[in-house]
């Protein structure tokens, strides 16, 4: 009888109540009045343009729903608006396959990343995946600028780099046939004289009879050149300066090297900056000691190759340096002495594509240092993107050498790349919603330290295709009081209703409200909606999963009984505050299963004939038995013997099953205790058996066996065996 009643109720729920309850979806949201608004809610949302689609009491927003739900509700596929994103590659020049010694190419003719330009059309919530390829080209041109601290403590270092130009040219020729080198120096130009410092001391800051150059901030000594001998000659003419305070103005120098591209001579090739010092650095805020408070402007201020604004602008901040080095694709090598390694290693963590190398006390290892640092930096590719438009997300996945795949932040990079290696990146770009005005935006992706980049133009799908066919002042919208588009009316200002038939000030008039009271009661639309032109439009709740319905908004789909914190136990739907259970469940919360298969024992009997199947679970009527199908009897004879070998092999590694223990004896949880007094006692809520067994050496071991209320088998065993002593054996031998 119960099953027949359930069947009848189910049919009534399907045929009488109309639309079945949907699972939660992002498309059901308050105040979605147009197709354009609908498609911004999520990629699964569609809009039904069928003019006959809405049923009585349904608001315009009911046209927006998940695609499958729209179909089930009777909207034909051709009437569903569901635009999709797309992409188009505009420039796709192949990466350069170049060998050393081959025909020389101009830097602008070398390609290491592909494609170079594309457009994406983005639908809210729908990721577009682009695949980028990067290949480290052989014989790629290199520009290297050597920036050296000329304070007095670097005197020996200056002597050892005077032949750096030709020597470095010779070594770098093994890597590239197109190498240029430049040179700059820095010290520290103090504006406010230190106590006890005379004007003569500022002109010649060295001690004794040493002849030093006067203090300065930064000097561009040699523009990038392929003439190594010229590099040597100009370094030979340099004089050391003095130290008036330990930290140096190196940040001022780095900033000018980064932003004064024309003065330095940077090309669009690999750009290396080698920064050599034995001291720390001043940074933003330190200028206050000299009365300088104006922040560094990050612009070029070289006159006659000298930085002229150290007296006016404060030192750059670390973040400002990172920005300018990245913008200008410069990779930095900090060649510093061992005493200050820790300082620059911390700085390296903040500057992408930088390296720290130990400079010997006299710079004798500088060439090896540069070669090693270059190899380290160039063996890693890291992608970065320009600032993203609001609401746009980007994720990376790298496909590196040896099949290595990285995701998250590591998805931006590949390491251990050799010359000629090719790696790829899968990049997902997703828009969440539509930006203001819906204007196109352009972003750029590039490998750090390289001048090449990928330009991506983003356009956004903010309206449906049907929007362009809208009819303004349509007669379908109550004498032209709105625009008819996408199957519905978009009302003019001051008009409301599905056909724009009402004026705003008429909504709450007495005669219109009369048709919105159930059984001539007091409440309008059951206090769950508004009466618009004599019809109830049910209010939307904050939780889009919860909805009011019915002619008077008297029904809802969230005030039904729950089980396990799930509405209708997760096995039915809530219609007008009553659970309509799935065919195999019953109960006010659909929490009682009618399926007895879960109660079938291996002998095909329900609960082994020792219990009753209630809501899919066995209730054992014989108190000695327990378990999912009343198959376990912990206190029955033979339990101890049955489990002896498994307890022995797991607890002591002995017995007949010691070689197959892992496979055959993993069905219980084992706990070791120190002595027999620590074994569980039979005072728990579930039966427990005390066991005493003997092994092949006549040693006794003690354990308990039980099945807890969760059906888990538990064994507690005394960790030490009780074996007979020598005195115990003598009487036995006497009997033989």
């Amino acid at each position: 009888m119960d099953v027949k009643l359930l069947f009848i109720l189910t049919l009534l729920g399907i045929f009488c109540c109309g639309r079945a309850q949907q699972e939660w979806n992002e498309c059901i949201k308050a105040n979605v009045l147009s197709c354009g608004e609908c498609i911004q809610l999520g990629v699964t949302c569609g809009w039904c343009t069928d003019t006959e689609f809405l049923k009585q009491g349904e608001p315009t927003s009911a046209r927006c729903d998940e695609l499958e739900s729209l179909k089930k509700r009777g909207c034909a596929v051709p009437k569903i608006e569901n635009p999709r994103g797309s992409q188009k590659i505009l420039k796709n020049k192949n990466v350069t396959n170049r060998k050393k010694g081959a025909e020389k190419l101009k830097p602008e003719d070398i390609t290491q990343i592909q494609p170079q330009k594309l457009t994406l059309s983005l639908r809210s919530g729908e990721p577009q995946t682009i695949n980028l390829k990067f290949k480290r080209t052989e014989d790629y041109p290199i520009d290297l600028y050597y920036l050296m601290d000329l304070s007095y403590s670097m005197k020996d270092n200056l002597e050892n780099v005077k032949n750096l130009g030709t020597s470095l040219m010779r070594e770098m020729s093994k890597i590239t046939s197109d190498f240029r080198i430049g040179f700059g120096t820095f010290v520290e130009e103090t504006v406010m004289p230190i106590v006890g410092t005379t004007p003569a001391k500022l002109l010649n800051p060295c001690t004794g009879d040493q002849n030093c150059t006067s203090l300065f901030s930064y000097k561009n000594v040699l523009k990038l050149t392929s003439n190594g001998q010229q590099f040597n000659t100009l370094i030979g003419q340099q004089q050391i300066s003095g130290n008036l305070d330990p930290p140096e103005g190196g940040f001022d120098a780095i900033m000018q090297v980064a932003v004064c591209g024309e003065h330095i001579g940077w090309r669009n090739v690999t750009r290396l900056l080698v920064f050599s010092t034995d001291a720390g650095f001043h940074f933003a805020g330190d200028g206050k000691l000299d009365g300088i408070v104006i922040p560094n402007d990050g612009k070029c201020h070289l006159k006659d190759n000298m930085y002229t604004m150290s007296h006016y602008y404060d030192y750059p901040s670390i973040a400002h340096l990172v920005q300018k080095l990245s913008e200008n694709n410069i990779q930095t090598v900090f060649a510093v002495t061992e005493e200050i390694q820790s300082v620059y290693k911390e700085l390296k963590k903040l500057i992408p594509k930088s390296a720290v190398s130990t400079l010997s006390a006299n710079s004798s290892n500088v060439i090896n240092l540069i070669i090693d640092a270059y190899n380290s930096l160039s063996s890693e590719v890291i992608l970065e993107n320009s600032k993203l438009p609001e609401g746009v997300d980007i994720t990376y996945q790298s496909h590196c050498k040896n099949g290595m795949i990285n995701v998250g932040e590591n998805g931006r990079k590949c390491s251990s790349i050799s010359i000629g290696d090719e790696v790829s990146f899968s990049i997902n770009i997703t828009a969440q919603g539509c930006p203001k005005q819906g204007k196109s935006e352009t972003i750029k992706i590039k490998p750090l330290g390289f001048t090449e980049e990928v330009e991506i133009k983003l356009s956004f799908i903010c309206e449906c295709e049907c929007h362009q066919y809208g009819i303004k002042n349509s007669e379908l919208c109550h004498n032209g009081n709105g625009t008819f588009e996408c199957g519905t009316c978009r009302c003019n200002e001051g008009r409301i209703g599905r056909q724009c038939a009402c004026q705003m000030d008429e909504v709450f008039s007495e005669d219109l409200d009369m048709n919105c009271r159930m059984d001539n009661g007091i409440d309008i639309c059951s206090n769950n909606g508004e009466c618009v032109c004599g019809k109830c439009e049910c209010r939307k709740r904050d939780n889009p999963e919860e909805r009011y319905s019915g002619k008077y908004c008297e029904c809802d789909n969230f005030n039904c009984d729950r089980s396990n914190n799930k509405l209708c136990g997760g096995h039915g739907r809530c219609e007008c505050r009553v659970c309509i259970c799935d065919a195999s469940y019953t109960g006010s919360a659909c929490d009682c299963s009618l399926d007895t298969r879960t109660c079938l024992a291996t002998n095909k009997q329900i609960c082994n004939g020792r219990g009753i199947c209630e809501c899919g679970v066995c209730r054992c009527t014989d108190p000695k038995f327990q378990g999912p199908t009343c198959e376990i009897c912990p206190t029955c004879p033979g339990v101890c013997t049955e489990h002896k070998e498994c307890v022995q092999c797991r607890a002591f590694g002995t017995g007949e099953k010691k070689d197959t223990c892992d496979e055959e004896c993993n069905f219980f949880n084992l706990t070791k205790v120190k002595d027999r007094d620590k074994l569980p006692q039979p005072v728990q809520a579930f039966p427990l058996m005390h066991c005493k067994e003997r092994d092949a050496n006549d040693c006794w071991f003690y354990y308990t066996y039980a099945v807890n209320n969760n059906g888990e088998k538990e064994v507690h065993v005394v960790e030490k065996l009780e074996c007979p002593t020598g005195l115990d054996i003598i009487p036995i031998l006497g009997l033989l």
Side-chain angles (χ1 to χ4, degrees):
M1 184 65 182
D2 289 343
V3 176
K4 291 182 179 179
L5 179 61
L6 174 64
F7 180 71
I8 293 171
L9 288 174
T10 302
L11 290 178
L12 287 174
I14 294 173
F15 293 108
C16 297
C17 296
R19 177 184 178 186
Q21 179 194 10
Q22 302 174 356
E23 294 181 357
W24 178 86
N25 69 72
E26 57 189 342
C27 313
I28 302 172
K29 199 171 183 180
N31 300 322
V32 178
L33 300 178
S34 69
C35 186
E37 293 177 2
C38 175
I39 63 174
Q40 301 310 314
L41 299 178
V43 69
T44 62
C45 300
W47 177 271
C48 185
T49 63
D50 187 348
T51 56
E52 304 298 324
F53 176 67
L54 295 181
K55 296 177 175 59
Q56 182 178 357
E58 287 186 319
T60 300
S61 60
R63 292 183 177 275
C64 183
D65 206 339
E66 288 186 342
L67 303 178
E68 290 303 316
S69 181
L70 288 175
K71 295 175 187 176
K72 290 178 180 178
R73 293 169 57 197
C75 189
V77 173
K79 295 287 187 178
I80 297 176
E81 283 278 338
N82 180 37
R84 313 304 294 184
S86 61
Q87 58 180 269
K88 183 179 181 181
I89 297 177
L90 303 179
K91 186 177 180 182
N92 194 29
K93 185 179 178 182
N94 290 331
V95 292
T96 302
N97 291 310
R98 185 188 187 198
K99 299 294 183 181
K100 191 175 179 183
E103 180 184 356
K104 193 169 183 178
L105 297 175
K106 295 180 180 179
E108 58 268 24
D109 294 331
I110 299 174
T111 302
Q112 296 189 112
I113 192 165
Q114 179 187 1
Q116 297 81 39
K117 189 174 183 179
L118 61 160
T119 62
L120 299 184
S121 178
L122 298 178
R123 160 83 185 272
S124 178
E126 178 188 27
Q128 288 293 318
T129 301
I130 59 176
N131 295 307
L132 298 187
K133 183 191 302 182
F134 179 87
K135 184 172 184 178
R136 187 179 168 195
T137 302
E138 188 167 352
D139 199 22
Y140 193 70
I142 300 172
D143 284 352
L144 185 148
Y145 192 85
Y146 195 88
L147 183 58
M148 184 174 181
D149 180 0
L150 277 192
S151 55
Y152 188 77
S153 57
M154 294 285 285
K155 180 180 178 182
D156 291 341
N157 302 70
L158 179 60
E159 292 298 321
N160 277 296
V161 298
K162 286 184 176 180
N163 293 319
L164 177 63
T166 52
S167 300
L168 189 56
M169 282 282 185
R170 184 170 55 252
E171 290 299 320
M172 292 300 288
S173 67
K174 301 175 183 178
I175 298 174
T176 178
S177 61
D178 190 355
F179 175 70
R180 300 196 312 169
I181 188 170
F183 182 71
T185 60
F186 68 93
V187 191
E188 170 70 19
E189 185 176 12
T190 303
V191 177
M192 297 291 289
I194 297 175
V195 176
T197 303
T198 65
K201 182 71 173 175
L202 293 176
L203 292 175
N204 183 17
C206 295
T207 59
D209 58 354
Q210 295 284 342
N211 187 23
C212 295
T213 187
S214 59
L215 292 174
F216 62 92
S217 178
Y218 162 66
K219 181 193 300 181
N220 178 29
V221 178
L222 177 63
K223 189 175 182 178
L224 288 162
T225 178
S226 57
N227 189 339
Q229 186 57 49
Q230 184 185 9
F231 182 93
N232 293 350
T233 301
L234 286 174
I235 290 185
Q237 297 171 1
Q238 301 306 304
Q239 285 184 308
I240 213 74
S241 187
N243 297 72
L244 295 182
D245 68 335
E248 304 297 349
F251 276 16
D252 272 341
I254 293 176
M255 178 62 78
Q256 294 303 297
V257 171
V259 300
C260 297
E262 292 186 7
H263 295 269
I264 303 301
W266 292 119
R267 299 176 294 169
N268 285 331
V269 298
T270 296
R271 299 175 176 181
L272 292 179
L273 169 61
V274 179
F275 181 85
S276 175
T277 186
D278 64 350
F281 47 82
H282 285 298
F283 54 91
D286 287 354
K288 292 180 181 178
L289 300 174
D290 286 338
I292 302 172
V293 296
I294 300 176
N296 195 285
D297 67 350
K299 295 180 180 179
C300 183
H301 296 289
L302 292 186
K303 184 177 181 180
D304 296 329
N305 283 319
M306 298 287 288
Y307 178 47
T308 59
M309 300 299 284
S310 61
H311 64 287
Y312 187 79
Y313 288 118
D314 193 7
Y315 303 99
S317 67
I318 295 175
H320 202 179
L321 273 187
V322 170
Q323 176 191 350
K324 293 301 178 182
L325 289 170
S326 176
E327 284 179 1
N328 293 283
N329 306 303
I330 296 172
Q331 304 177 64
T332 310
V333 179
F334 295 105
V336 297
T337 53
E338 189 171 358
E339 306 85 62
I340 55 170
Q341 279 275 307
S342 58
V343 174
Y344 284 88
K345 284 182 178 178
E346 290 300 314
L347 180 61
K348 174 189 177 297
K349 296 176 182 178
L350 304 175
I351 302 180
K353 290 294 279 188
S354 65
V356 177
S357 299
T358 303
L359 185 70
S360 62
N362 58 6
S363 293
S364 59
N365 69 331
V366 68
I367 292 179
N368 290 335
L369 178 153
I370 292 172
I371 299 295
D372 292 344
Y374 167 75
N375 288 332
S376 174
L377 289 172
S378 61
S379 67
E380 182 176 57
V381 58
I382 303 174
L383 296 186
E384 69 168 358
N385 52 267
S386 59
K387 184 179 179 181
L388 297 173
E390 184 178 357
V392 174
D393 300 321
I394 188 167
T395 60
Y396 292 81
Q397 183 183 76
S398 58
H399 302 265
C400 308
K401 290 176 62 176
N402 303 320
M404 177 70 70
I405 297 177
N406 300 316
V407 295
E409 277 304 302
N410 288 330
R412 292 175 176 267
K413 63 185 178 181
C414 282
S415 302
S416 303
I417 303 175
S418 303
I419 292 175
D421 285 345
E422 184 176 293
V423 295
S424 62
F425 296 86
S426 295
I427 304 172
N428 282 343
I429 300 178
T430 310
Q432 303 297 339
C434 192
K436 294 179 180 178
Q437 311 301 327
K439 292 182 179 180
S440 298
E441 301 275 0
T442 298
I443 64 172
K444 294 181 179 180
I445 297 175
K446 69 175 184 178
L448 277 173
F450 295 86
T451 57
E452 296 177 65
E453 61 187 16
V454 181
E455 181 179 310
I456 306 172
K457 183 178 180 181
L458 307 178
S459 61
F460 303 90
I461 302 175
C462 299
E463 283 289 353
C464 300
E465 185 179 357
C466 57
H467 171 72
Q468 59 184 309
Y469 304 113
I471 304 172
K472 292 185 177 181
N473 303 319
S474 171
E475 289 299 318
L476 295 174
C477 302
H478 196 265
N479 301 321
N481 284 317
T483 299
F484 188 79
E485 65 176 49
C486 302
T488 190
C489 288
R490 181 180 285 186
C491 299
N492 296 336
E493 186 176 354
R495 307 292 298 191
I496 58 173
R498 282 166 55 174
Q499 280 79 42
C500 310
C502 295
Q503 294 183 4
M504 284 285 194
D505 55 6
E506 294 178 348
V507 170
F508 299 105
S509 61
E510 184 176 352
D511 56 334
L512 291 176
D513 292 346
M514 186 180 301
N515 294 325
C516 297
R517 294 189 178 98
M518 185 176 179
D519 298 330
N520 295 321
I522 298 176
D523 296 334
I524 296 175
C525 300
S526 307
N527 288 329
N528 295 324
E530 294 180 354
C531 186
V532 181
C533 294
K535 295 180 180 179
C536 286
E537 288 191 2
C538 300
R539 184 174 67 249
K540 295 291 183 180
R541 292 176 59 84
D542 292 337
N543 183 351
E545 183 180 4
E546 300 175 351
R547 301 189 304 279
Y548 294 108
S549 60
K551 181 178 179 180
Y552 301 102
C553 305
E554 74 277 13
C555 295
D556 64 59
N557 68 342
F558 53 87
N559 273 317
C560 288
D561 289 346
R562 294 175 178 267
S563 178
N564 292 326
N565 205 30
K566 293 182 179 179
L567 195 67
C568 298
H571 302 300
R573 61 185 184 277
C574 180
E575 291 189 359
C576 211
R577 305 184 182 183
V578 176
C579 282
I580 305 299
C581 300
D582 295 342
S584 56
Y585 288 86
T586 187
S588 63
C590 302
D591 54 351
C592 183
S593 174
L594 300 176
D595 189 353
T596 60
R597 287 177 296 179
T598 55
C599 296
L600 283 178
T602 54
N603 59 10
K604 303 303 180 182
Q605 286 186 311
I606 291 179
C607 304
N608 268 299
R610 305 185 185 107
I612 301 170
C613 186
E614 294 180 344
C615 297
V617 178
C618 281
R619 179 171 63 83
C620 302
T621 54
D622 188 333
K624 295 195 302 296
F625 289 87
Q626 59 185 134
T629 56
C630 305
E631 78 278 15
I632 301 171
C633 180
T635 58
C636 292
V639 169
C640 293
T641 303
E642 179 183 353
H643 300 298
K644 168 188 172 182
E645 295 296 337
C646 278
V647 174
Q648 187 179 355
C649 79
R650 284 191 58 183
F652 307 106
T654 60
E656 295 180 2
K657 293 188 177 182
K658 66 178 181 179
D659 295 327
T660 59
C661 197
D662 291 340
E663 293 80 13
E664 297 185 33
C665 301
N666 58 2
F667 57 89
F668 58 85
N669 300 323
L670 181 70
T671 303
K672 293 183 179 182
V673 299
K674 287 189 175 295
D675 50 57
R676 291 166 63 183
D677 293 335
K678 297 295 189 296
L679 289 173
Q681 300 303 312
V683 294
Q684 305 169 73
F686 47 86
L688 177 143
M689 174 70 77
H690 277 262
C691 301
K692 175 183 177 183
E693 296 292 337
R694 185 162 56 186
D695 65 13
N697 297 320
D698 287 326
C699 295
W700 295 94
F701 58 95
Y702 300 85
Y703 67 93
T704 61
Y705 178 85
V707 180
N708 64 27
N709 292 330
N710 296 323
E712 298 170 335
K713 301 174 179 63
E714 296 181 351
V715 172
H716 289 71
V717 61
V718 178
E719 62 184 5
K720 291 185 179 180
L721 296 166
E722 283 189 9
C723 299
T725 63
L727 294 175
D728 295 327
I729 296 173
I730 292 173
I732 298 173
L733 294 175
L735 296 174
L736 297 178

